[in-house]
Amino acid sequence: GVSWTFSFLLCMCGNNMSAPVPVIIPAAKKATAAVIFLHGLGDTGHGWAEGLAAIKTSHVKYICPHAPIAPVTMNFRMSMSSWFDIIGLSVDSVEDEGGIKNAAENVKAMIDLEVKNGIPSHRIILGGFSQGGALSLYTALTTHQKLAGVIGLSCWLPLRNSFPEAAANSPNKDVHTLQCHGEADPLVPLTFGRLTADKVKTIINPNNVTFKSYAGMAHSSSPQEMMDVKQFIEKQLPPIN
């Protein structure tokens, strides 16, 4: 529709300073919890807002921000929406450390904004897909905000060699984490997902780390995965009477 085109135009000409307003799915009743969900490379918040709207829970507010537009090394320096630069997707690729840390600070600011709006951080789940999932894992492990849960779909852990030290004072040592991955993912191989879950288990309580893989699923989502996400959200963010 028109509004989608309009926000797409906003995205296209928006630079880091004027990032467009996130897509928000308000709670059907008073919001007592929130999910902040970060999209993948080259996407906008709209795609995941649609997916989350289909599994929404009445007391939860869903926030799907748009990444700023920037050149991405891996994609021949083409400009696209991206949370930080990606130089390559192999195990030994150089990582954009400054960009990753800067992006994590921006996500922490989004969480602070919700806290200011009356939703405590321990009632907020941080999640994302691919690059957005990577950023949500990194942010959850390095923030001083206590979170309700973390969702990482088809992703990896950035700056993995900085852990466990990077999470030394983390209040999220017991946070519940749901990681999901397609078994036929050609971009971020299933092995990366498994290795990431193993690494996360050395940083937080391993009993709280759930890893699920889906036969035949590529670098995308599936109805089964979305049901697993819905169940995780409902379990970690129960209604408050």
Side-chain angles (χ1 to χ4, degrees), residues 97 101 138 142 158-167 199:
E97 184 172 349
K101 289 180 171 172
Y138 181 81
T142 56
L159 306 178
R160 66 186 181 281
N161 296 333
S162 66
F163 293 98
E165 295 74 23
K199 179 79 179 182

Side-chain angles (χ1 to χ4, degrees), residues 80-175:
M80 61 189 66
S81 58
S82 118
W83 301 106
F84 50 85
D85 192 18
I86 296 184
I87 292 107
L89 280 179
S90 67
V91 178
D92 49 6
S93 294
V94 174
E95 293 183 273
D96 172 21
E97 184 172 349
I100 292 163
K101 289 180 171 172
N102 184 40
E105 290 309 315
N106 290 338
V107 176
K108 292 171 195 176
M110 289 175 202
I111 297 167
D112 281 340
L113 186 60
E114 290 317 301
V115 173
K116 211 179 275 180
N117 289 337
I119 297 174
S121 68
H122 65 82
R123 293 281 293 164
I124 297 174
I125 284 178
L126 182 57
F129 171 78
S130 192
Q131 189 195 36
L135 179 55
S136 68
L137 280 182
Y138 181 81
T139 305
L141 294 172
T142 56
T143 185
H144 293 304
Q145 301 149 321
K146 188 169 169 57
L147 298 169
V150 192
I151 299 169
L153 309 181
S154 311
C155 71
W156 67 95
L157 177 62
L159 306 178
R160 66 186 181 281
N161 296 333
S162 66
F163 293 98
E165 295 74 23
N169 302 317
S170 172
N172 292 315
K173 288 273 200 264
D174 275 315
V175 75

